[in-house]
Amino acid sequence: MRLPPAPLRLSRSPALLALALPLAAVLAFSDETLDKVPKSEGYCSRILRAQGTRREGYTEFSLRVEGDPDFYKPGTSYRVTLSAATPSYFRGFTLIALKEHREGDKEEDHAGTFQIIDEEETQFMSNCPVAVTESTPRRRTRIQVFWVAPPAGTGCVILKASIVQKRIIYFQDEGSLTKKLCEQDSMFDGVTDKPILDCCACGTAKYRLTFYGNWSEKTHPKDYPRRANHWSAIIGGSHSKNYVLWEYGGYASEGVKQVAELGSPVKMEEEIRQQSDEVLTVIKAKAQWPAWQPLNVRAAPSAEFSVDRTRHLMSFLTMMGPSPDWNVGLSAEDLCTKECGWVQKVVQDLIPWDAGTDSGVTYESPNRPTIPQEKIRPLTSLDHPQSPFYDPEGGSITQVARVVIERIARKSDCKCWPRTPSCSHRGEQCNIVPDNVDDIVADLAPEEKDEDDTPETCIYSNWSPWSACSSSTCDKGKRMRQRMLKAQLDLSVPCPDTQDFQPCMGPGCSDEEGSTCTMSEWITWSPCSISCGMGVRSRERYVKQFPEDGSVCMLPTEETEKCTVNEECTSSSCLMTEWGEWDECSATCGMGMKKRHRMVKMSPADGSMCKTETSQAEKCMMPECHTIPCLLSPWSEWSDCSVTCGKGMRTRQRMLKSLAELGDCNEELEQVEKCMLPECPIDCELTEWSQWSECNKSCGKGHMIRTRMIQMEPQFGGAPCPETVQRKKCRLRKCRNPSFQKLRWREARESRRSEQLREESDGEQFPGCRMRPWTAWSECTKLCGGGIQERYMTVKKRFKSSQFTSCKDKKEIRACNVHPC
């Protein structure tokens, strides 16, 4: 088959390569390539066989699975990230997962399933539903999806990605755009997928973690808790691969449980400090009130930490409050690269996960402990219909936060020229790969001197008291003190670290430390006492161990200091939030406008009006319109459900906006999806009435009954059940003279007594026949609401002189369980 002219023109628009129908043709770049592909093969196999411009050995694009595992657990979800290093970018991409040594010709060649995280960024390919591609054509530096591993017995899996950029298509069978994962043996079930290779980077690196909450009523409107929404204090640490703070598929420790359910980091911090040999830095940051403060007046919560060759992983968590046990965080994020360097920057969007300790399904569900405790897992949109994240179609959960981890310093322990490929230090080989000039300068900096060489341009607070020793025994440990950098008068002169470490041993191990108090770490500073101007904040600590000589601890347990919020505020000052994110461009191609907004956080104290602008607008440029052959309007709102209750359908439409001469458009203009409303009411259903029973009296006035059964109880507000038992009067012949009747009873009683003496097995006597005794009453047909019981008397012997009508089997019916249900 030959390529038509129109699809060939599409090669000039790489932004649309992954969306347009003839994508495989564009990937091919030649008629010859497609001619070689058998017509019986599917669209997916044509993508995999497409040949484009290749560049071997490049590293600006990478495909990464969270945690960098080499093995997968069957059925486990993994976050997959496709990213470009600055200043590179990509417009389109394709992501697919294949069983090893398979070509992708058949459906069974593909392994596992992808799950969309952000529908505005990613979607399944219409012609190859097992593959993921971009939703909109634009410049991007990263995308993320979830990949659910296939069932046991699948074997190794190859994750492959292709990149579209500037008319060039990179497709790499091996290298940074290909990731191989093999199935984990059952004997390793429950073991964390930690990086197998040890870190080979030199020295230490220092990072800053910044947490941006984006959990708001705008992004997550369903049942959003308006008053008490917040993120708890962040707790975590930089640690070795031998220590697991928390992990998907593992069980929450008591410390993790307290953070997850109560937002309390105290127990978690205690657990981390107990692993002092495996932990380099305890990471702590303040809580965030309210939850949505991506660019607020107060800076986003942040913390600094360090990593080294043995403790190069970082984990943290923070509670989404209020919630049953929902959190966000990172688990064992590796900051050491395979090239023996330190990662420059990590940006990760976060979705909530369930700690497995509470069974609540809404933000403010009552406490319902999960017994037995379940494993930690990511929340999904199909967990429960009452969940605030529920989506009947199983869509992705919108991210609730973003964490940015940025390297701010690096110190090498190799005493040699940094441009040398390797250097010997204490018998070890250590590669140095400087990332930029600043790193080279840092590596060449002279060693720190024993005396205080703090530049005069750096203004610090006083040192805090020394922390408790990391060792509780007489083994060597270390302790730390901190100070705050209040001002840096000359930005060109670097300021020393704000942390100082010193070797130490446990209490009582040194004669000169016999009267030493062991204090806890300082608890996080309280919020400033005022919201504008200068106020006061405080922090506390407690005595962990008193001196062995019985003396009193003289160290302070509380500190206060001044704090300033918006230094320039006056009685007429207007306190504003930071600017929000820019809205989407008003145009889908060419020149458009975009806006951003902010709000008044606090009006002036003197009652005047705020004169500060609350919205801004600027121009935005989208791809040139003539390069887009198919220009569509945004989707309309979904129509109302086609039914008023139960399952129905709803639709939405969009319009074709591009001109006809720009090319054919094969995009769908209408979509239909299922919708679910509350269940329809179901009325009570009953059986037909039974026959009337016999009269309960043999003479005179009596009554008889009839009953019916409930076939369907009312549901979802349906009509209740009516009566199930009815009575009506019955009247037989008049009863005879009582004295005559008594005589008959006496004769009958004497007759029965003589008959029983003669033969107990003989039944009752009736005119012309002998009857068997009455059977026992049957069980009641209903437990409540009125049922019936029956018993029978059958003929044992009929005399010749008897008439058939006077000698026959008898049956009695009576009502039972007539009390209401």
Side-chain angles (χ1 to χ4, degrees), residues 540-557:
E540 298 176 346
R541 63 177 178 176
Y542 58 90
V543 179
K544 294 182 70 175
Q545 183 173 338
F546 287 91
E548 294 182 358
D549 59 7
S551 59
V552 179
C553 287
M554 302 302 293
L555 296 177
T557 58

Side-chain angles (χ1 to χ4, degrees), residues 528-585:
C528 200
S529 59
I530 63 173
S531 57
C532 182
M534 182 170 289
V536 178
R537 64 177 186 171
S538 63
R539 64 177 183 175
E540 298 176 346
R541 63 177 178 176
Y542 58 90
V543 179
K544 294 182 70 175
Q545 183 173 338
F546 287 91
E548 294 182 358
D549 59 7
S551 59
V552 179
C553 287
M554 302 302 293
L555 296 177
T557 58
E558 183 176 358
E559 275 188 350
T560 59
E561 70 174 17
K562 295 180 180 179
C563 54
T564 302
V565 180
N566 192 12
E567 295 180 354
E568 300 177 358
C569 68
T570 63
S571 60
S572 60
S573 295
C574 217
L575 193 59
M576 308 291 293
T577 64
E578 288 293 333
W579 288 107
E581 299 288 342
W582 286 103
D583 295 338
E584 293 183 359
C585 193

Side-chain angles (χ1 to χ4, degrees), residues 226-283:
R226 297 185 178 181
R227 296 185 178 180
N229 58 83
H230 70 282
W231 296 103
S232 72
I234 292 173
I235 183 68
S238 57
H239 57 93
S240 72
K241 62 183 181 181
N242 299 323
Y243 177 43
V244 179
L245 276 73
W246 72 272
E247 62 174 335
Y248 292 132
Y251 290 97
S253 66
E254 182 60 30
V256 172
K257 177 182 178 182
Q258 289 193 16
V259 175
E261 295 187 13
L262 308 175
S264 170
V266 177
K267 181 65 177 178
M268 186 70 182
E269 181 177 351
E270 180 182 334
E271 292 178 352
I272 295 174
R273 293 190 182 279
Q274 288 174 353
Q275 300 288 332
S276 58
D277 292 340
E278 308 295 339
V279 176
L280 181 60
T281 308
V282 177
I283 300 172

Side-chain angles (χ1 to χ4, degrees), residues 255-520:
V256 172
K257 177 182 178 182
Q258 289 193 16
V259 175
E261 295 187 13
L262 308 175
S264 170
V266 177
K267 181 65 177 178
M268 186 70 182
E269 181 177 351
E270 180 182 334
E271 292 178 352
I272 295 174
R273 293 190 182 279
Q274 288 174 353
Q275 300 288 332
S276 58
D277 292 340
E278 308 295 339
V279 176
L280 181 60
T281 308
V282 177
I283 300 172
K284 296 193 293 184
K286 63 184 179 180
Q288 181 173 308
W289 294 79
W292 182 66
Q293 289 182 316
L295 294 171
N296 52 17
V297 172
R298 293 181 296 170
S302 64
E304 296 180 1
F305 64 95
S306 299
V307 291
D308 61 17
R309 293 180 69 179
T310 58
R311 292 158 292 191
H312 51 93
L313 305 178
M314 189 281 295
S315 302
F316 83 93
L317 66 159
T318 175
M319 172 200 180
M320 172 189 284
S323 72
D325 58 347
W326 300 340
N327 286 243
V328 299
L330 291 181
S331 174
E333 183 72 20
D334 195 351
L335 299 177
C336 182
T337 68
K338 295 181 179 179
E339 293 76 24
C340 301
W342 296 110
V343 173
Q344 182 69 39
K345 188 175 184 179
V346 175
V347 180
Q348 190 74 274
D349 290 326
L350 305 175
I351 63 170
W353 50 268
D354 189 311
T357 60
D358 192 291
S359 300
V361 295
T362 64
Y363 289 127
E364 300 180 87
S365 293
N367 186 35
R368 293 173 52 198
T370 302
I371 301 175
Q373 184 174 337
E374 296 177 352
K375 293 182 178 180
I376 297 173
R377 64 172 183 84
L379 291 177
T380 72
S381 59
L382 295 174
D383 286 338
H384 195 280
Q386 295 180 4
S387 167
F389 308 107
Y390 180 70
D391 180 359
E393 298 300 320
S396 59
I397 293 180
T398 304
Q399 56 95 3
V400 295
R402 171 175 290 180
V403 62
V404 177
I405 304 169
E406 193 165 13
R407 199 182 75 204
I408 57 178
R410 192 181 76 168
K411 180 180 178 184
S412 173
D413 58 359
C414 289
K415 313 301 182 183
C416 66
W417 185 252
R419 292 185 178 88
T420 318
S422 64
C423 62
S424 178
H425 178 59
R426 296 177 186 175
E428 297 178 351
Q429 290 296 319
C430 188
N431 294 330
I432 299 180
V433 185
D435 292 315
N436 50 47
V437 176
D438 294 336
D439 291 331
I440 297 176
V441 174
D443 291 338
L444 292 175
E447 296 184 39
E448 292 184 5
K449 300 177 182 179
D450 292 336
E451 64 271 12
D452 186 7
D453 57 351
T454 303
E456 295 180 356
T457 58
C458 299
I459 310 300
Y460 287 94
S461 67
N462 293 329
W463 285 106
S464 69
W466 287 103
S467 68
C469 191
S470 62
S471 173
S472 59
T473 66
C474 290
D475 295 333
K476 288 185 178 181
K478 59 184 178 180
R479 58 181 182 173
M480 180 190 70
R481 62 177 181 172
Q482 302 182 52
R483 59 181 176 176
M484 292 181 58
L485 179 61
K486 292 186 174 181
Q488 187 173 358
L489 305 182
D490 186 353
L491 297 179
S492 64
V493 178
C495 292
D497 291 340
T498 58
Q499 294 181 336
D500 187 20
F501 296 90
Q502 187 182 74
C504 61
M505 291 188 294
C509 296
S510 174
D511 294 337
E512 55 191 42
E513 293 183 357
S515 60
T516 301
C517 285
T518 303
M519 307 295 291
S520 71

